[in-house]
Amino acid sequence: MITLDLTLPDTRYPIHIGHGLLDQVELILPHLRIPQVAIITNDVVAPLYLQRLTQQLEKHGVRTIPVVLPDGEEHKNWQTLNLIFDALLAANAERKTTLIALGGGVIGDMTGFAAACYQRGAPFIQIPTTLLAQVDSSVGGKTAINHPLGKNMIGAFYQPQLVVADMDLLATLPERELSAGIAEIIKYGLLGDIDFLGWLEANMDKLRARDPVALQYAVRRSCEMKAEIVGQDEKEQGVRALLNLGHTFGHAIEAGLGYGKWLHGEAVGAGMVLAAAASQAMGWLTADDVARVQALIAAAGLPIRSPDFGAAEWLRHMGHDKKVESGVIRFVLLQQLGQAVIQPGLPATLLESLFHSPHIDPALARQ
Amino acid sequence: MITLDLTLPDTRYPIHIGHGLLDQVELILPHLRIPQVAIITNDVVAPLYLQRLTQQLEKHGVRTIPVVLPDGEEHKNWQTLNLIFDALLAANAERKTTLIALGGGVIGDMTGFAAACYQRGAPFIQIPTTLLAQVDSSVGGKTAINHPLGKNMIGAFYQPQLVVADMDLLATLPERELSAGIAEIIKYGLLGDIDFLGWLEANMDKLRARDPVALQYAVRRSCEMKAEIVGQDEKEQGVRALLNLGHTFGHAIEAGLGYGKWLHGEAVGAGMVLAAAASQAMGWLTADDVARVQALIAAAGLPIRSPDFGAAEWLRHMGHDKKVESGVIRFVLLQQLGQAVIQPGLPATLLESLFHSPHIDPALARQ
């Protein structure tokens, strides 16, 4: 087991990465304020892991409240969040009851937001069960639900007590979810570590074959970079925005197609191709660089072409991005491979040509 | 104009109290991050003050987004909160757009919570239009919505940039709302300032007649006490819980009767009588003390008898209080007049007798 520390002005918490961690409840027990937890999970993860975690905790005298939600990004909304509050109140959960997120990014984001709001703030723990959640969403305290007009528009910065990333849980992960997680891993290479990008190119086959050593290294390196960036800028006043590489385009894809059509990681994959293409149009990346990005994303089993919404629709969806300031969309682009920058606004002609480029596929908009 | 300062570990903000402040937009302008605000108000306050505030702001080049919600505690829920998010997103409000709460406690609590969640945190300003909001709910950063199973169960600690309490706005306040505000003022006397309690007894007629000097003193003294207590304990780890005097009982009344039947201040009034009676049963207050509390609350035009839910129903509602720890309800009682204390748990026999005392009125439960 490797343990990373995320250090913030007001708090500090461990990120444990390793094998067989779900059964090591001694990692969790010291963080509980009272011996009561609510385990928030979904109907896909529950049959796999809920009973195991529950039994381990109850063996140590911890009362557990199970909350099983429907699976999928299309359920990351207020209606589903309210199911958590209903269950907590019906079971007399208290302000010191710990919420445990046992699931992927959707469960983690919703559980964290529920914890942020329940009685104005209950503690919570992340046990990510997908690669995407392990390398990205479970770390850093961004919690949220979607609004029909924009992804993650309603949420809070709210840090967990602890993150437990058990690599063994990835064994049951569907292929498509694995690729979605690799998208966020590629993001770290692209935005800040060219060596890691090279490593990913060399080891993509191993990652997709779930080689445990390769996977653990990729999770570790991603979490290290995330912890470092979030440690510098918890509330995204500056550098943290770079973690949104591919996300302004990606969120527009998710909202435009309807949440749940594409996985978040898939949208980020295609979004990073658009970000690379825009960076080429700015004169920063070469055609070879863009081809390299595209090849890596394709090798991960991710889509490299985005749906064709038309420029107006693209702009409308991107206009609901949290990085918009005074009406100007702040894009995360690549100055070079391994170095992301914020670009406030792009020329209309550049965007127009981007949305008529080979990176856009009209067929996809009619999925 | 008097200006108080609320100083917290991470922030500090002014509370302006005075006359004619609604038109002094120069108090607001320096706090805006971009020249765009959303003014959240309700259908009772909007016809009175919305246009005036809007015109003043637009005169200074500030774009305003009006959001008019239905009035009343029964609307302090997710459905209504979502109307705020809908309006913000439809108008392309950004993370730096300032939300202005123009209304009473319900509007202030909902606007604050919407600001806490919108794009994970937008700035907000409180312009309280009721006495209750001016003396209590607009100050200190407690924001929330209700859940059918418990009052204020979903919310956040989230501080405003500024509070502007314009005493002139109280001129349009209905009698019943004025009394509800006085309940929270009496609370400050009871919990921590016996001299202020005496002043209230001597000046209750003036307050109810809206004597401007008396009202301003009462608002100022209440805000001073609130700012001092919140400054010591923003997140209610300790002393801030004393501000809940009368509220554990009061919240049970509100939830038990259905939100909106009684005003929050009315429920707190009757709740303080129960808290005083329980304090007498503990041997802390004398019968004369309780009579004195009751007389003052009656003089304010507030109910002094609570509905008869039966002990089981009372306990069920009080069990959803945020001060419950490990299943034990933590009551705020009075060690003596002017000195509140936390009492973890009360003997069952004491509670039984309390719920069969003359402070309970069977007729009220059937309202």
Side-chain angles (χ1 to χ4, degrees), chain B residues 31-351:
Chain B
H31 294 270
L32 304 184
R33 298 193 192 161
I34 57 173
Q36 188 189 49
V37 303
I39 305 174
I40 324 294
T41 187
N42 67 38
D43 50 20
V44 172
V45 174
L48 297 168
Y49 302 117
L50 177 58
Q51 207 186 358
R52 240 171 85 190
L53 180 60
T54 302
Q55 282 176 345
Q56 290 286 338
L57 286 163
E58 294 195 336
K59 210 184 289 174
H60 289 81
V62 178
R63 198 191 134 208
T64 60
I65 304 165
V67 185
V68 181
L69 304 176
D71 177 45
E73 184 81 34
E74 65 273 32
H75 298 290
K76 189 176 157 184
N77 54 27
W78 177 260
Q79 285 80 0
T80 313
L81 189 73
N82 245 341
L83 297 177
I84 303 179
F85 296 132
D86 292 345
L88 294 175
L89 283 162
N92 287 313
E94 301 176 5
R95 207 187 246 180
K96 294 189 177 177
T97 300
T98 296
L99 277 59
I100 297 181
L102 178 69
V106 171
I107 287 293
D109 280 12
M110 281 205 293
T111 302
F113 187 43
C117 301
Y118 187 64
Q119 303 206 13
R120 298 200 185 93
F124 87 109
I125 288 172
Q126 290 272 18
I127 306 186
T129 62
T130 66
L131 183 59
L132 186 134
Q134 292 188 349
V135 299
D136 194 64
S137 62
S138 70
V139 174
K142 275 198 182 177
T143 74
I145 54 172
N146 299 328
H147 184 281
L149 291 180
K151 167 108 178 166
N152 291 340
M153 276 291 147
I154 301 160
F157 290 101
Y158 194 72
Q159 301 294 339
Q161 305 297 305
L162 165 80
V163 180
V164 180
D166 182 349
M167 312 298 301
D168 289 352
L169 307 189
L170 303 181
T172 53
L173 196 65
E175 200 75 22
R176 205 180 142 192
E177 297 267 3
L178 187 79
S179 291
I182 298 175
E184 297 280 8
I185 298 174
I186 293 172
K187 180 187 80 175
Y188 287 102
L190 285 175
L191 75 86
D193 187 345
I194 184 73
D195 293 341
F196 186 44
L197 195 73
W199 182 91
L200 285 170
E201 289 170 321
N203 291 276
M204 188 53 72
D205 291 348
K206 284 190 186 167
L207 287 178
R208 295 195 65 188
R210 309 184 194 214
D211 174 276
V213 177
L215 268 181
Q216 180 154 343
Y217 175 72
V219 172
R220 176 208 181 135
R221 183 69 197 118
S222 300
C223 286
E224 275 172 0
M225 289 183 69
K226 180 135 193 191
E228 195 193 318
I229 291 171
V230 173
Q232 288 171 45
D233 176 26
E234 181 181 8
K235 301 277 176 75
E236 197 168 312
Q237 313 288 312
V239 66
R240 185 168 183 170
L242 300 181
L243 295 175
N244 281 307
L245 177 65
H247 282 61
T248 299
F249 296 111
H251 287 169
I253 294 172
E254 291 182 83
L257 290 177
Y259 300 117
K261 285 278 172 47
W262 282 23
L263 294 174
H264 173 64
E266 292 170 336
V268 168
M272 289 191 292
V273 173
L274 287 178
S279 307
Q280 184 189 358
M282 292 294 284
W284 297 335
L285 293 193
T286 65
D288 282 356
D289 289 335
V290 176
R292 194 175 157 192
V293 171
Q294 201 164 312
L296 184 58
I297 289 168
L302 292 161
I304 52 172
R305 301 181 76 192
S306 293
D308 185 5
F309 300 129
E313 189 74 356
W314 269 104
L315 288 173
R316 193 173 69 80
H317 286 302
M318 295 197 300
H320 289 125
D321 191 274
K322 289 185 290 302
K323 291 182 296 306
V324 171
E325 269 188 31
S326 302
V328 176
I329 301 171
R330 290 159 68 245
F331 291 90
V332 184
L333 300 184
L334 295 169
Q335 195 96 56
Q336 56 185 49
L337 293 185
Q339 190 189 330
V341 287
I342 298 287
Q343 170 60 34
L346 283 175
T349 50
L350 190 158
L351 284 169

Side-chain angles (χ1 to χ4, degrees), chain A residues 29-89:
Chain A
L29 297 173
H31 294 272
L32 305 184
R33 297 194 193 161
I34 56 172
Q36 188 189 49
V37 304
I39 305 174
I40 324 295
T41 187
N42 68 37
D43 50 19
V44 172
V45 175
L48 298 168
Y49 302 117
L50 178 58
Q51 207 186 356
R52 240 171 85 191
L53 180 60
T54 302
Q55 282 176 346
Q56 291 286 338
L57 286 164
E58 294 196 336
K59 210 185 288 172
H60 289 81
V62 178
R63 199 190 132 206
T64 62
I65 304 164
V67 184
V68 181
L69 305 176
D71 177 46
E73 184 81 32
E74 65 272 32
H75 298 290
K76 190 176 157 183
N77 55 28
W78 176 260
Q79 286 79 1
T80 313
L81 189 71
N82 245 340
L83 297 177
I84 304 179
F85 296 133
D86 292 345
L88 293 175
L89 283 162

Side-chain angles (χ1 to χ4, degrees), chain A residues 251-270:
Chain A
H251 288 170
I253 294 172
E254 290 183 82
L257 289 178
Y259 298 117
K261 284 278 171 49
W262 281 23
L263 294 175
H264 173 65
E266 292 170 336
V268 168

Side-chain angles (χ1 to χ4, degrees), chain B residues 12-30:
Chain B
R12 179 195 172 110
Y13 58 90
I15 302 157
H16 300 302
I17 303 167
H19 294 270
L21 304 189
L22 188 66
D23 299 314
Q24 295 181 36
V25 276
E26 60 275 19
L27 295 174
I28 292 176
L29 297 172

